Amino acid sequence: YNGGAGTSAGNLLVSADGTISTSGGRSLGILAQSHAGDGGDGGDGYDGVDDGEGGNGGAGGHGGSVTVTGQVQIGTHGEESHGIQTTSEGGDGGNGGTGYENSGYGGKGGTGGSGGSILVDGIGEIETHGSGASGLLVESLGGNGGKGGDGRSHAAGEYGGDGGSGDDVSVAGSWTITTHSNNAAGIKILSSAGDGGNGGKGYPAGGTGEHGNRGGAGGDGGNVTVTSQVDIVTYGDNSAGIIAQSHAGEGGDGGDGYRRFAGSGSAGGQGGNILLDEGGRIVMHGVLATGILAESLGGDGGIGGEGFRSANGGNGGSGGDAGSVTIQGTWDITTTNGYSFAIRSRSIGGTGGDGEISGWNSDISGHGKAGGDGGAIIHDADLTLTTLGDSSIGIFSWSQGGDGGDGG
């Protein structure tokens, strides 16, 4: 039988005005989450039942939109006690069941649900005391695709489910933020897609076997936008003023095959575009600190399945392209300790997946696929940058295409 679909989450609107103070680990000032349900796993198929085919995994539900507005003063004391956390998360797809009959298949992997859009727009003063406690944490997260069901006793594997996409996320308004401990960001804003599920394998029985199937495609990262006036000061090590990231999902690997062919790896997703505008003051007092980290990453392509006996090797999946990174506005950024960056911007394409070898009764191995393109990086801003520590850098910009995969 098939697994049931996960339920989608509703939309959230939070309008807050006032003062909030918390004490204790994971004690947040405001938490607004829209979290969808996961898809159920498909049941296994057996001889004489549903033709021996495995049930399909259910699709993950979608996260709803989240909006937070208002004028707030927030103080937190405790590990990972963020001032404001907003999350919209898609559910994972269910795994396909195993197939056990001649000419049958395993079940298909369920698709991952998409994360919803997020907007945080307000006027705020936030101060955190605690390791990993950021001022604003904004996340749209796609769910992972389910694994394709394997095939046994002459049944073939099925394909993996596609990963869900992250949606667009934005921060606007005016924010004064101080963090006092390590591993804490003033603003961390992320759109991250789910990975594709791996394809099912075709296992041998009685000296023979069937083919594998492809992995699911990685989801796309959404666009990330910060259009705010900020005054951010951090005192801890390994901390950042603003972290703005769009991460695509990786393609699923192909399933191994024992007859005809192995499954191909699927393509990685596309990274979204990053935009920072307006500006303000950022002061970083710790070591290994970064004033602004802005990055878009394409997803890696999946690896092809391995061919056994008479099966061809599976092809790899293409790497996904990264988006553009743009910094505009007027920024005054100071780092006072060593091994730090005022601005670090990256756009890196995903690596192409490797092809795999064929079985000994086949001479067709899989092809490696191309890597994804790096995107444009544009700094069209009025910048005042000061780095006072050893081995520190004012601007580090890096656009790179992904490596191609190796052939089998």
Side-chain angles (χ1 to χ4, degrees), residues 30 99 124 136 234 292 299 321 381:
I30 295 173
L136 299 179
T234 72
I292 293 175
D321 296 336

Side-chain angles (χ1 to χ4, degrees), residues 318-357:
S318 300
D321 296 336
S324 63
V325 176
T326 303
I327 299 177
Q328 299 173 338
T330 302
W331 302 87
D332 186 344
I333 303 174
T334 300
T335 67
T336 66
N337 226 313
Y339 305 99
S340 298
F341 298 88
I343 295 176
R344 187 179 181 188
S345 49
R346 305 195 305 165
S347 179
I348 300 178
T351 299
D354 295 338
E356 266 292 1
I357 60 173

Side-chain angles (χ1 to χ4, degrees), residues 183-255:
N183 305 308
I187 297 172
K188 182 176 181 180
I189 178 170
L190 167 69
S191 180
S192 181
D195 297 333
N198 293 334
K201 302 176 181 179
Y203 284 99
T208 64
E210 263 297 347
H211 63 80
N213 222 312
R214 65 168 177 82
D220 296 333
N223 297 323
V224 175
T225 304
V226 178
T227 52
S228 297
Q229 286 290 337
V230 302
D231 190 348
I232 298 173
V233 180
T234 72
Y235 289 95
D237 297 337
N238 197 34
S239 295
I242 298 174
I243 299 175
Q245 299 170 308
S246 180
H247 293 172
E250 296 180 358
D253 296 338

Side-chain angles (χ1 to χ4, degrees), residues 26-322:
R26 293 290 300 164
S27 298
L28 289 74
I30 295 173
L31 174 62
Q33 286 186 318
S34 180
H35 192 161
D38 296 335
D41 293 340
D44 294 337
Y46 295 95
D47 292 348
V49 180
D50 293 332
D51 297 323
E53 295 191 355
N56 299 328
H62 301 299
S65 65
V66 179
T67 302
V68 175
T69 64
Q71 186 168 348
V72 293
Q73 292 179 311
I74 298 174
T76 69
H77 296 75
E79 185 177 358
E80 295 185 355
S81 294
H82 312 298
I84 299 174
Q85 179 179 342
T86 58
T87 304
S88 179
E89 185 170 0
D92 292 337
N95 297 321
T98 301
Y100 284 92
E101 183 73 23
N102 289 338
S103 302
Y105 284 84
K108 301 177 180 67
T111 56
S114 298
S117 61
I118 301 179
L119 170 64
V120 178
D121 186 1
I123 299 173
E125 296 180 13
I126 300 174
E127 188 168 1
T128 70
H129 301 75
S131 177
S134 297
L136 299 179
L137 176 60
V138 180
E139 301 175 307
S140 178
L141 309 175
N144 295 320
K147 180 187 178 300
D150 296 330
R152 298 178 183 270
S153 300
H154 310 291
E158 256 294 7
Y159 57 78
D162 295 340
S165 295
D167 210 331
D168 297 343
V169 288
S170 301
V171 171
S174 178
W175 299 95
T176 299
I177 300 173
T178 303
T179 68
H180 289 273
S181 299
N182 298 336
N183 305 308
I187 297 172
K188 182 176 181 180
I189 178 170
L190 167 69
S191 180
S192 181
D195 297 333
N198 293 334
K201 302 176 181 179
Y203 284 99
T208 64
E210 263 297 347
H211 63 80
N213 222 312
R214 65 168 177 82
D220 296 333
N223 297 323
V224 175
T225 304
V226 178
T227 52
S228 297
Q229 286 290 337
V230 302
D231 190 348
I232 298 173
V233 180
T234 72
Y235 289 95
D237 297 337
N238 197 34
S239 295
I242 298 174
I243 299 175
Q245 299 170 308
S246 180
H247 293 172
E250 296 180 358
D253 296 338
D256 297 340
Y258 287 79
R259 180 172 170 268
R260 298 172 61 196
F261 56 83
S264 295
S266 274
Q270 312 293 309
N273 298 323
I274 311 291
L275 172 63
L276 276 70
D277 204 348
E278 302 293 337
R281 181 182 77 116
I282 299 174
V283 181
M284 315 296 297
H285 289 294
V287 299
L288 299 170
T290 302
I292 293 175
L293 171 61
E295 65 178 12
S296 178
L297 305 180
D300 293 340
I303 298 171
E306 186 173 353
F308 294 89
R309 296 196 172 105
S310 61
N312 301 338
N315 299 324
S318 300
D321 296 336

